[in-house]
Each structure stands twice: as structure tokens, then as C-alpha cells.
Amino acid sequence: ADGTAAIWDTAQQTVVERLFCGEKTQVYAGEFFGGQSTFFATAYDNVLGIWDIQQGSHEIRRWKFHSRKPKIQEAPSQTLSPSEKGECFVYGAHLLKSSNSNNDDNVFAVALSDGSVCVVDLRERGAFPALRWQAHERYVSEISGGANFSSLDFFANTVVTSSGDGT
């Protein structure tokens, strides 16, 4: 892994932009939002990054996550999982859509390796996510949702997760 996300011109089958996501990190997921001018990527280095593609490879925002599970001291004969070491990899993120015009594609649900899910609001200037809860015993491997399927806005506040714990 070279720590970049590649943006491709599919017609020419060539890379048009490389976004630096972290030092030799593995990039797990990426998605365009905001009229296809803004891109987010998640990686093995505990970070969710947001780029403004129209401005080149300019990263506009970054969140770093830490495990909520207690850090365990590793014994010489013991091998700990990343979350037991206090690491918290970002396995995916999903833009939450709403019928509420005030949302403006600013809210993400984020899947984390410690089994938690958090909601990140781009309008919040703080370093921490707006909301975080323990969703699974093991890592959250996929997250989706936030689509408005009815006249009620219930589904805009709903996410679906899957995990390595079988749920």
C-alpha cells in the first residue's frame, strides 16, 4: 500500500489525481459527495479525511479516531488485536441523506475497528465526532443507510451495520 487513493478517468483508464491518505497506509474506502467535487477516504491509520477535488489534492478536514476499548499491556508471549492496543481503524463511511434541506450532505456515519459507529458532522468544528456508540463486539466492516424511504424522516436517522462478530 502506498498510502494514496487514486481517482481514475474510466474512459482513458488513467489516474488523474492521487490523494495522499497516510504514510504507507492501506486505504479502505472512498466516496464522492457534494456534487462530485468533494471526496472522503478512510484508511488503516485511524483517519477519515475529506478532500476538495476541485482545488487539487487539498485535504480540507481530518478526524483521527481512538479505540474506546481499554488498552491492554501486551505480554511477551501475547499477540493483541489493534483495538486492544488502542488503535481504531476506519473501515468505512457513508454519507447520510435526508429530506431535510438543512442537511446539505454534511453528515457521515463511520464504521470503526473497535466495534463502534460514530456520526461526524462537517459543520462541527470540534476534533471529536458528534455522536458515537458501541454497535458490535468486534469491528464494524460495513455501514450504510440514511436514505429517506418514506414521507417520514425516520430512515434519515437510521444506519445499517455488519460486523466480524456475525451480526
Side-chain angles (χ1 to χ4, degrees):
D2 68 358
T4 65
I7 299 176
W8 291 82
D9 177 331
T10 56
Q12 300 296 317
Q13 299 177 2
T14 58
V15 174
V16 294
E17 186 77 52
R18 284 200 180 273
L19 304 174
F20 179 73
C21 297
E23 195 65 40
K24 296 186 179 179
T25 191
Q26 187 175 5
V27 179
Y28 287 130
E31 185 175 322
F32 281 101
F33 69 99
Q36 303 302 306
S37 64
T38 311
F39 179 81
F40 74 80
T42 66
Y44 191 73
D45 63 355
N46 310 357
V47 171
L48 167 68
I50 309 253
W51 288 263
D52 181 349
I53 301 303
Q54 290 181 339
Q55 304 297 318
S57 57
H58 175 68
E59 187 178 44
I60 57 176
R61 197 80 191 273
R62 170 177 280 240
W63 290 266
K64 187 164 182 84
F65 299 92
H66 300 281
S67 179
R68 296 175 77 188
K69 293 185 177 181
K71 196 173 184 180
I72 298 172
Q73 186 66 32
E74 189 170 5
S77 63
Q78 184 181 25
T79 302
L80 298 177
S81 72
S83 64
E84 290 172 327
K85 294 177 184 177
E87 298 172 351
C88 190
F89 308 130
V90 183
Y91 284 142
H94 184 76
L95 179 66
L96 299 178
K97 295 280 189 180
S98 170
S99 64
N100 181 349
S101 61
N102 293 330
N103 187 11
D104 295 330
D105 295 341
N106 284 307
V107 180
F108 292 89
V110 182
L112 299 169
S113 66
D114 69 349
S116 67
V117 170
C118 72
V119 174
V120 173
D121 188 334
L122 291 175
R123 298 164 292 193
E124 298 284 327
R125 291 292 168 210
F128 299 102
L131 178 64
R132 186 168 174 178
W133 69 94
Q134 194 66 35
H136 296 277
E137 287 297 314
R138 296 187 63 208
Y139 61 90
V140 179
S141 57
E142 186 65 41
I143 192 159
S144 187
N148 187 14
F149 297 114
S150 72
S151 61
L152 300 174
D153 210 22
F154 169 77
F155 287 104
N157 296 316
T158 304
V159 296
V160 178
T161 61
S162 59
S163 173
D165 65 10
T167 60

